Amino acid sequence: MVNFIMDSFKIYTKEDIKVYVKPRKGETKLGEKIQILNGPLSAQHLKIFEAKVVLLGIPEDIGIRANYGIGGAKTAWPTFLTAFLNLQQNIFLNGEDILLLGHFEIGEPEEDNIESLRQKTALIDDLVSPVIETIVKAGKIPVVIGGGHNNAYPIISGTSWALSQKINVINIDAHTDLRDVDEGRHSGNGFSSAFAHKLLAGYTGFGIHQNYISETLMNYSQNNPVKLVYFDDFLSKDQSPINTFKSITESVKSPCGLEIDLDSIAGVLASAATPSGFGLNEVRKMILATAKKFCYLHLCEGAQKLENGQTDLFIGKTLSYLVSDFVKALHLRSAVLL
C-alpha cells in the first residue's frame, strides 16, 4: 500500500504575489495590474473577468522522475513568477489581459521508487484535469507552466471535456512522448495516454530528433493520426523552421493546443537538455506568428536547478518571453503607438 500526501490547488491572493513584485518609482510592473480571482474557482466566476488568458503553474517533477529523468522542473514556476511579474506594464503588454490563478501544491510519495512515482503521476492527472476543464468552460485560454510533460495528458483531457470533443495538439519537442501507456503514467507517455482515452484527434511532433525515436515509436506513429517533423531535416535541407511551423499550424484543425518542451530549445536547462535544437528566438517567432490558433499553451520541463546541481539563471526570463509573446500575439487589446 503506497501512501500519498494530500494535494491541492492554491488560488492566489494579492498578498501572495506581492512578494514577487518589486515596485519602482515612475514604473508600473505587470504584477501590479495582473488580475487575481478573489473568490472560488468556477467557470461562472471566471467569466466575470475580461482577461482571456488564465496563467497557472504545476511545479512538480514526479512525472519526469517516473520516466527515469532528472528532477528539478518544480523549480521553474517561482523563478518564472519573479521574472514575469516584474515585466513592464505598457501598451505592448497589459496585466489586465491576464488572470494569474495560482499553482498546484503536490506532495511527494512516501516511497521514492518508479512504481510509486508512476502511481503519483496518475493522481496528478486527476488533480489537474478538472481545473483545466473549468478554465476552458469559462471561454478562457489556459497558459500552464510546468512541471513535467506528463501534464500534457490532464491538460488535453480537461480541454477535451470542456469542449465535448477531441482536440489536436502541436508539440514542439525533441521527443515524441508517445511511449507505451502500459508502463504506467510518466512524462514520456502523455500523448499516447490521450490517444488511448480517445481525447486526441491528431498529434504533430515538431522538431523531433531522429536520434531519440525508436522503431517501436516509429511504428506507433505510422499506425495513429501522428505527424512527425524532424529537426534533422532542417539541418540537411534549405527549409525554414518558422515557415514550416506556420504552414503546419494553418493546416491543423481547431481546437488545437500548443505544447512546448523546453528541451527543444538549445541551451535551456531541462531534464533532457540539448546542445542542438531550435534557438529561443526561433520559437518566439513561431508563437508570435501562430498564437491565435491555439486553445491552450503548455510550457514544460524547464528548470532553474536540476537535482544534479546544474542551474539556469535565465529560465525565468526564457519562460517570460514565451508567455508574453503568446499574450501579445492574441491581440487582446488594440494598442496604439503614441
Side-chain angles (χ1 to χ4, degrees):
M1 178 71 177
V2 179
N3 295 317
F4 299 104
I5 298 171
M6 185 66 70
D7 303 318
S8 62
F9 183 75
K10 177 178 176 57
I11 297 174
Y12 287 171
T13 65
K14 288 286 187 183
E15 291 299 315
D16 289 323
I17 69 170
K18 272 186 179 179
V19 297
Y20 297 101
V21 181
K22 301 172 184 176
R24 189 165 185 168
K25 186 178 180 180
E27 299 179 4
T28 303
K29 300 296 181 67
L30 199 68
E32 297 177 82
K33 292 293 184 179
I34 203 164
Q35 300 296 288
I36 300 296
L37 189 62
N38 290 324
L41 177 57
S42 68
Q44 184 176 6
H45 192 196
L46 282 172
K47 287 178 181 179
I48 296 172
F49 295 84
E50 290 187 10
K52 186 68 174 177
V53 166
V54 175
L55 181 62
L56 64 157
I58 315 179
E60 62 83 32
D61 54 23
I62 294 169
I64 292 172
R65 286 149 49 209
N67 194 29
Y68 302 106
I70 303 169
K74 62 186 176 184
T75 63
W77 175 246
T79 193
F80 160 74
L81 284 180
T82 299
F84 188 71
L85 294 177
N86 286 289
L87 296 179
Q88 293 292 330
Q89 159 86 11
N90 54 35
I91 60 173
F92 306 106
L93 185 66
N94 193 317
E96 294 178 1
D97 293 332
I98 309 161
L99 190 151
L100 176 57
L101 187 59
H103 73 265
F104 292 92
E105 297 186 324
I106 299 169
E108 289 286 326
E110 290 185 357
E111 300 175 33
D112 188 18
N113 55 56
I114 291 297
E115 181 183 357
S116 297
L117 292 170
R118 291 181 176 179
Q119 289 180 38
K120 180 72 180 196
T121 304
L123 292 179
I124 295 172
D125 293 343
D126 296 337
L127 183 69
V128 173
S129 295
V131 174
I132 300 298
E133 182 182 13
T134 299
I135 295 168
V136 178
K137 274 187 174 179
K140 309 298 185 183
I141 300 174
V143 172
V144 186
I145 310 296
H149 219 161
N150 45 290
N151 295 306
Y153 170 60
I155 294 171
I156 291 167
S157 60
T159 304
S160 175
W161 296 341
L163 300 176
S164 300
Q165 66 180 102
K166 294 181 181 180
I167 70 169
N168 286 291
V169 165
I170 297 178
N171 177 35
I172 302 175
D173 201 338
H175 314 91
T176 63
D177 293 336
L178 291 167
R179 291 184 180 275
D180 190 351
V181 297
D182 291 335
E183 292 181 348
R185 283 288 292 118
H186 55 65
S187 65
N189 60 17
F191 301 108
S192 43
S193 294
F195 271 126
H197 290 88
K198 303 186 185 309
L199 301 169
L200 266 185
Y203 165 95
T204 300
F206 190 85
I208 304 299
H209 289 208
Q210 293 173 355
N211 287 354
Y212 299 109
I213 183 163
S214 66
E215 186 175 352
T216 300
L217 287 174
M218 186 75 74
N219 291 335
Y220 180 92
S221 300
Q222 292 172 349
N223 292 304
N224 288 277
V226 169
K227 178 181 178 63
L228 301 182
V229 179
Y230 294 106
F231 179 78
D232 309 68
D233 288 340
F234 295 121
L235 300 178
S236 61
K237 300 175 183 178
D238 185 17
Q239 189 175 356
S240 163
I242 298 159
N243 289 339
T244 303
F245 185 79
K246 287 170 62 178
S247 177
I248 287 173
T249 301
E250 290 169 1
S251 68
V252 174
K253 292 182 178 180
S254 296
C256 181
L258 177 60
E259 299 271 343
I260 303 178
D261 190 317
L262 274 292
D263 71 20
S264 66
I265 305 175
V268 174
L269 191 63
S271 175
T274 181
S276 177
F278 294 120
L280 175 59
N281 287 344
E282 286 183 304
V283 176
R284 291 186 66 188
K285 288 179 180 179
M286 294 176 196
I287 291 173
L288 287 166
T290 62
K292 292 172 75 173
K293 175 79 175 187
F294 300 110
C295 59
Y296 76 77
L297 172 66
H298 180 207
L299 305 175
C300 61
E301 302 272 337
Q304 189 274 326
K305 184 176 182 179
L306 292 179
E307 286 183 343
N308 62 12
Q310 289 181 280
T311 59
D312 182 349
L313 299 178
F314 300 119
I315 190 64
K317 285 189 174 181
T318 297
L319 290 164
S320 293
Y321 274 121
L322 298 175
V323 172
S324 60
D325 287 341
F326 186 80
V327 175
K328 290 176 184 179
L330 291 175
H331 300 293
L332 298 177
R333 302 177 70 91
S334 55
V336 178
L337 292 176
L338 301 178

